[in-house]
Amino acid sequence: MTAISQKIIQTKDMQRNFVEVSLPLPLQQTFTYSIPSGIQDKISIGSRVLVPFGSRSLVGYAVVFHETLNEELALEPASIKKVTQLLDSEPLLTGEIIKLTQWAAGYYLSSWGEMLKASLPAGINATVEERFQITNSGIEYLKRNSSKRTQKIDLLQFLDENGETEFKELKKTFGASKVRRISKELHELEFVSIRHQTVASKVKTKKQKAVRLLNTPQEAKPPTKTQQEIIDFLAKTSEQLLISELMEILDVGISPIKTLAKRGFVEIITTEIRRDPLMGFALPKATKITLTDEQSAVLTKIKKPLQSQSYRAFLLHGITGSGKTEVYIRAIKETISHGKSALMLVPEIALTPVFSKRLRSVFGKEVAILHSSLSTGERFDEWRRIRNGKAQVVIGTRSAVFAPLQNLGLIVVDEEHDGSYRQHEMPFYNARDVAIVRASNAKAVIILGSATPALESFHNSQIGKYEYLSLPNRIENRPLAKAEIIDMREVFAAGSDDKILAPQLLKAIEETHKRGEQTIILLNRRGFSQFVLCRSCGESIRCMNCDITLTFHKSRQKLVCHYCSHSVTAPEKCPSCESEFIYFLGEGTEQIEKILEEKFPQLSISRLDRDTTKKRREMENVLSAFSEGKIDMLVGTQMIAKGHDFPNVTLVGVVSVDAGLSMPDFRSAEKTFQLLTQVAGRAGRGNRKGSVLIQSYYPEHYALQHAKEQNYKEFYKREIEFRKSMNYPPFVALASILIKHPNHNYAFENAKILRDSLDSANEKNHCIVLGPAPAPLSRLKGEHRLQILIKSRNRKHLRQTIDFAVAQAHENNCDMKIVYIEIDPINLL
């Protein structure tokens, strides 16, 4: 076992006797194995290997070779286990991605093996299957004790009757923990043998029969009329064609094609088929766009490092509708002209189809798409095209930062401020920041684009870390939508019948529809009601696993936890006092949609949130219908707030904006300002003026006031003062440590050990250590959550404190399996 190596070693002349393997486990070290002589010439850096690990076999990744066991490894040859199997004739991982994941794992204190696994598409990783079989000794033992009814006898009886059995089948009958415990005892007694078998990846290449034309055979009998039509058509295509396509186009059966193959006119072959994510979607027509002077000036600055092929980081601060996308496309064109490839990251899956179609219309088959809503087969095909160098342009969400592009020249991170770039589960990473490091490693250009840059990014542009570029005006000098804040306190005081939608907003919707224009209504909470309250006893119905109230979803008549997905049928009586006075409070998108449908039955209204987009391509279909004018009003969460260009939208309404401001997070004002500015930018993007109505009970808040004016720089001035005075990023480096366990006392005991270790490690580093204290969401998924925050004006001191404390806490018997460390967290809930 060794710490993560600082160098990735692969020398052709080196005798590959030993290999360091990174395993997809929550461990921050690699493990050394000896390489059997039969595969020493075949194994490469990035190859997947099957290795023994304790009583298991695991698939890991070869990352470093050694010729001898040097002193640094401090290992004895006799203690080294052998690699069991080499899984790849050609390594899946490139040297660039291995280096990038190594940095990411080190920086974010994550597992390198888990980071490597995350860089590969789902379904490509082989798995190891455990298979159990009764031995001859076990059969004899069973015969002698067949009359007894013990757990061991039951398991042996099952194996004797069913033969060799997979672990997952035994788990169904006996339970996972019981199988583990009993099989271990039986294996030690040699009554059961355990065999590990590698199971190939689930996803395979898709293949179909195709036909291609051959030279006309000599002395051939003339083809029939139908056969001649097939020959003539294939002659025109001058390439192979899928048999299914040929049959559909010419309206012929399979028989004449087979006859032509028998007679030597054509050849039937098996060919690999690409599962194209954009198959069936109409692409926008490529139009000639003349750049504005501002766009031209920005592009000129970007082109210089592209031409010199040197690293440069740009922050492109362009207001909504200023033409950032066209700048991206021109920069990608410039990159490709120099023989380089380009990567474009977008934060939300909702944006991927929009940009994908645009890029495909410009760059054709050079474009590959990577995001989680693709089928496993589509993602596998797209990843292989990238790995094989058949795609020069890649667009995708967070994990696409690890796309195995060759000869990278440009990375674009659109909406760079968006929290979706942050991976909130192990392995932790921020795709925006990983992209910056990747660009630096590749000597490539990176463009961070946003109308509302993250405070840290804007700060970096002010101190010279990034070069600042600005697009302060909309295309054709179209005005920004006029925004107004509706004071809901006045609406309430006026005795309005409707306490959810203000009269001003309802009137504006009606007038917008009369003009034949469209409306967007934003409410960043899904469901029908946010919680259920008993008006007799005051109890609310909470999740049994989490310390939060359940959300009512009327369409399903269910109360659902949005964190662990626990659900119960909506009650008719209070579970605590059996009162029938159940009260549903706090509106969500489902309720807003219903209210609007009742008030405006003549309008076609659709809702877009996670509940309505579970079906494949449902999101693309709704957005496409709205873009074509088939839908009058779109109600949704933040997924409708950014990146979309709907020229006929002239009204945006924002409901319950105060919920975001009340979140216990130092970024709550920034996130609210960004969301409001982004959604306001959806209005008035065409030739008609737009308006934005924001409902709030706290209209004086500076985030709302500056969002109303879409004045980022004034918001930045106010917010940066707050960050500086309270010691928050960008003035300090921040780390969050969560200690999670079902038993609160156990979690607290370990948190106390860790805090004592942090205090000891911090004696000379002068970090600010806060906690342990209950996290804002103190219980989730059945686990109590305690939080420790660490701040430091010196990132090196922060890291030293954490590293030393973790080592000391481990020595003091802290259970590190329940400790989760996040570097640069963006969500402190």
Side-chain angles (χ1 to χ4, degrees):
M1 182 175 71
T2 59
I4 291 179
S5 304
Q6 295 303 306
K7 295 181 180 179
I8 296 173
I9 305 171
Q10 185 175 19
T11 306
K12 290 183 180 179
D13 299 331
M14 175 189 290
Q15 183 69 31
R16 299 171 188 173
N17 296 324
F18 302 95
V19 60
E20 283 184 44
V21 176
S22 189
L23 297 171
L25 298 170
L27 301 169
Q28 293 178 37
Q29 57 264 328
T30 57
F31 297 85
T32 305
Y33 293 86
S34 65
I35 305 174
S37 58
I39 63 171
Q40 285 182 353
D41 294 334
K42 299 175 184 177
I43 190 171
S44 301
I45 295 295
S47 295
R48 293 177 303 160
V49 290
L50 183 66
V51 294
F53 186 80
S55 61
R56 297 179 288 169
S57 288
L58 298 174
V59 175
Y61 310 92
V63 292
V64 180
F65 291 131
H66 297 287
E67 191 167 358
T68 59
L69 293 176
N70 54 40
E71 293 181 2
E72 183 182 344
L73 293 174
L75 295 168
E76 294 294 331
S79 68
I80 302 294
K81 295 180 180 180
K82 286 186 177 182
V83 170
T84 306
Q85 184 181 352
L86 175 65
L87 300 180
D88 302 313
S89 55
E90 291 290 332
L92 297 179
L93 295 158
T94 65
E96 181 197 11
I97 298 303
I98 293 174
K99 182 179 179 182
L100 184 66
T101 53
Q102 183 184 27
W103 173 86
Y107 182 86
Y108 292 105
L109 287 172
S110 290
S111 157
W112 190 8
E114 289 183 323
M115 198 74 74
L116 286 165
K117 184 177 180 180
S119 74
L120 295 171
I124 202 171
N125 279 293
T127 56
V128 180
E129 188 180 85
E130 284 183 299
R131 302 184 70 86
F132 297 76
Q133 188 168 26
I134 190 171
T135 63
N136 290 332
S137 299
I139 293 172
E140 291 300 318
Y141 176 81
L142 184 61
K143 288 178 179 177
R144 295 194 304 270
N145 298 276
S146 58
S147 60
K148 297 179 180 179
R149 292 266 57 89
T150 66
Q151 293 178 339
K152 289 180 184 178
I153 294 297
D154 289 344
L155 183 59
L156 288 172
Q157 187 76 43
F158 185 92
L159 291 174
D160 187 42
E161 294 173 357
N162 295 277
E164 190 178 50
T165 307
E166 299 174 24
F167 171 75
K168 63 182 180 183
E169 292 300 322
L170 291 175
K171 183 174 69 173
K172 290 177 184 177
T173 305
F174 299 97
S177 59
K178 190 181 292 185
V179 172
R180 287 288 180 208
R181 177 175 55 82
I182 300 172
S183 62
K184 183 180 179 182
E185 295 175 11
L186 292 173
H187 186 250
E188 290 173 351
L189 293 169
E190 297 185 352
F191 292 162
V192 166
S193 64
I194 303 175
R195 182 169 67 90
H196 294 92
Q197 176 177 304
T198 308
V199 181
S201 58
K202 299 175 183 177
V203 61
K204 303 290 184 183
T205 56
K206 184 178 180 180
K207 296 182 179 180
Q208 286 187 12
K209 296 291 184 181
V211 60
R212 62 185 175 197
L213 191 64
L214 300 175
N215 293 326
T216 304
Q218 294 180 351
E219 301 179 2
K221 180 182 176 182
T224 65
K225 181 180 178 182
T226 301
Q227 292 169 353
Q228 189 62 51
E229 285 180 5
I230 295 171
I231 293 171
D232 293 343
F233 187 82
L234 290 174
K236 291 177 184 177
T237 59
S238 69
E239 59 184 21
Q240 68 186 37
L241 191 69
L242 292 178
I243 290 179
S244 58
E245 291 182 3
L246 181 63
M247 292 170 62
E248 183 178 352
I249 293 169
L250 297 182
D251 193 22
V252 298
I254 189 66
S255 179
I257 300 173
K258 287 184 174 181
T259 301
L260 286 172
K262 288 179 182 178
R263 296 177 58 190
F265 284 93
V266 301
E267 180 184 20
I268 294 176
I269 58 174
T270 301
T271 186
E272 186 177 315
I273 301 300
R274 175 193 173 196
R275 288 160 281 208
D276 186 354
L278 292 182
M279 182 68 71
F281 282 108
L283 299 179
K285 294 181 181 178
T287 56
K288 188 175 181 180
I289 297 175
T290 302
L291 296 182
T292 65
D293 292 342
E294 290 173 351
Q295 287 174 307
S296 297
V298 163
L299 191 61
T300 298
K301 291 182 179 180
I302 293 172
K303 281 184 176 181
K304 288 182 180 178
L306 286 175
Q307 291 165 354
S308 63
Q309 299 186 8
S310 56
Y311 168 71
R312 188 77 61 84
F314 293 101
L315 175 64
L316 178 55
H317 183 191
I319 66 169
T320 56
S322 60
K324 294 187 292 295
T325 302
E326 187 60 29
V327 172
Y328 300 154
I329 289 174
R330 301 291 179 104
I332 293 171
K333 281 184 178 179
E334 181 72 19
T335 303
I336 292 176
S337 72
H338 294 290
K340 296 279 190 172
S341 60
L343 170 63
M344 182 172 180
L345 298 180
V346 293
E348 296 274 4
I349 293 171
L351 297 179
T352 314
V354 178
F355 284 117
S356 300
K357 294 174 190 177
R358 180 83 183 274
L359 292 179
R360 180 68 67 82
S361 69
V362 177
F363 300 104
K365 295 181 179 179
E366 292 291 317
V367 177
I369 304 164
L370 288 177
H371 61 76
S372 60
S373 279
L374 301 182
S375 69
T376 304
E378 286 173 339
R379 213 178 320 173
F380 176 68
D381 286 356
E382 294 295 87
W383 185 88
R384 286 179 68 245
R385 288 180 64 233
I386 301 164
R387 180 69 178 86
N388 296 335
K390 293 180 180 179
Q392 290 295 100
V393 181
V394 172
I395 179 170
T397 48
R398 181 174 59 231
S399 62
V401 73
F402 298 115
L405 276 164
Q406 302 171 18
N407 210 15
L408 186 64
L410 173 69
I411 301 178
V412 174
V413 184
D414 191 43
E415 310 290 1
E416 64 85 28
H417 66 276
D418 199 284
S420 299
Y421 286 121
R422 177 75 191 202
Q423 171 85 1
H424 294 291
E425 297 175 348
M426 289 291 283
F428 300 117
Y429 66 90
N430 188 317
R432 177 198 62 195
D433 297 340
V434 173
I436 293 168
V437 173
R438 185 173 186 183
S440 178
N441 291 344
K443 295 182 179 179
V445 171
I446 182 165
I447 304 171
L448 307 176
S450 177
T452 56
L455 244 72
E456 292 88 342
S457 298
F458 193 81
H459 181 73
N460 284 336
S461 74
Q462 301 303 292
I463 63 176
K465 191 172 181 179
Y466 305 152
E467 185 172 342
Y468 181 74
L469 303 175
S470 178
L471 293 174
N473 297 299
R474 279 185 159 186
I475 298 297
E476 299 178 357
N477 287 317
R478 294 169 186 153
L480 290 169
K482 183 181 178 181
E484 176 187 343
I485 301 176
I486 301 173
D487 190 339
M488 293 301 289
R489 296 172 300 188
E490 295 179 358
V491 173
F492 183 81
S496 172
D497 293 335
D498 196 329
K499 301 299 189 296
I500 296 176
L501 299 174
Q504 299 97 308
L505 179 56
L506 295 173
K507 182 180 178 182
I509 292 171
E510 188 174 350
E511 291 175 349
T512 301
H513 178 60
K514 285 180 180 178
R515 296 192 301 269
E517 298 163 0
Q518 292 170 295
T519 300
I520 286 177
I521 301 295
L522 171 73
L523 172 57
N524 205 24
R525 293 197 305 254
R526 58 194 175 99
F528 192 87
S529 298
Q530 292 310 295
F531 61 98
V532 181
L533 182 71
C534 174
R535 288 184 286 182
S536 293
C537 69
E539 285 293 320
S540 58
I541 302 178
R542 309 182 76 84
C543 176
M544 62 181 293
N545 304 314
C546 308
D547 189 25
I548 60 170
T549 55
L550 296 175
T551 301
F552 177 49
H553 288 249
K554 190 171 184 178
S555 60
R556 297 161 55 190
Q557 284 297 307
K558 292 281 188 181
L559 297 178
V560 181
C561 175
H562 286 174
Y563 286 89
C564 73
S565 298
H566 169 71
S567 66
V568 295
T569 301
E572 295 180 359
K573 296 181 179 180
C574 173
S576 298
C577 71
E578 297 190 351
S579 165
E580 295 182 356
F581 297 103
I582 298 292
Y583 196 43
F584 295 84
L585 296 170
E587 63 278 358
T589 49
E590 187 182 5
Q591 184 176 167
I592 294 295
E593 179 190 28
K594 186 175 185 299
I595 292 171
L596 289 167
E597 285 175 342
E598 291 173 352
K599 291 184 178 296
F600 303 101
Q602 74 278 22
L603 267 63
S604 170
I605 302 174
S606 287
R607 174 163 54 96
L608 203 60
D609 55 30
R610 254 187 279 172
D611 296 321
T612 63
T613 56
K614 292 179 180 179
K615 291 184 179 179
R616 179 167 161 74
R617 290 189 168 177
E618 186 64 27
M619 184 184 304
E620 293 97 318
N621 294 335
V622 171
L623 290 172
S624 179
F626 189 62
S627 180
E628 294 168 8
K630 297 176 182 177
I631 297 171
D632 299 311
M633 183 189 299
L634 194 58
V635 178
T637 54
Q638 63 179 358
M639 63 173 59
I640 66 173
K642 51 208 167 193
H644 305 294
D645 191 354
F646 303 119
N648 197 39
V649 170
T650 58
L651 174 64
V652 168
V654 183
V655 182
S656 296
V657 69
D658 305 318
L661 288 173
S662 64
M663 297 297 285
D665 189 334
F666 74 91
R667 287 193 173 91
S668 60
E670 180 185 12
K671 291 176 181 177
T672 300
F673 172 83
Q674 289 168 339
L675 181 62
L676 289 176
T677 304
Q678 292 287 339
V679 75
R682 299 317 107 206
R685 295 176 73 93
N687 297 320
R688 303 173 183 179
K689 292 182 180 180
S691 62
V692 183
L693 298 178
I694 303 167
Q695 297 186 176
S696 174
Y697 284 93
Y698 191 11
E700 301 88 0
H701 196 285
Y702 66 92
L704 274 60
Q705 288 295 326
H706 293 314
K708 171 187 170 183
E709 304 299 330
Q710 296 199 41
N711 192 329
Y712 177 85
K713 291 187 177 180
E714 287 303 314
F715 170 78
Y716 173 80
K717 288 178 185 178
R718 178 72 180 269
E719 183 70 8
I720 205 73
E721 290 174 3
F722 161 70
R723 300 284 184 91
K724 189 173 184 178
S725 65
M726 299 301 294
N727 285 312
Y728 279 121
F731 298 102
V732 298
L734 179 66
S736 169
I737 302 178
L738 280 178
I739 302 93
K740 303 189 290 186
H741 196 270
N743 184 300
H744 181 272
N745 291 335
Y746 186 77
F748 185 79
E749 288 169 6
N750 283 277
K752 184 67 170 61
I753 295 172
L754 187 56
R755 173 62 200 253
D756 292 341
S757 300
L758 284 165
D759 289 340
S760 176
N762 191 36
E763 288 178 355
K764 296 181 180 179
N765 288 333
H766 307 295
C767 297
I768 300 171
V769 182
L770 305 172
L777 295 175
S778 60
R779 186 167 173 266
L780 281 183
K781 301 179 181 179
E783 293 183 317
H784 295 276
R785 307 165 83 243
L786 298 169
Q787 188 177 56
I788 299 174
L789 293 180
I790 311 169
K791 305 177 185 179
S792 177
R793 292 189 178 274
N794 186 305
R795 185 172 290 277
K796 183 179 179 181
H797 289 170
L798 177 84
R799 187 57 186 268
Q800 286 174 345
T801 300
I802 293 174
D803 288 346
F804 185 86
V806 166
Q808 189 179 75
H810 182 74
E811 291 178 4
N812 293 336
N813 298 317
C814 178
D815 184 356
M816 298 307 296
K817 294 191 297 296
I818 69 171
V819 175
Y820 300 83
I821 304 172
E822 269 200 84
I823 304 297
D824 301 338
I826 62 170
N827 188 343
L828 296 182
L829 299 180

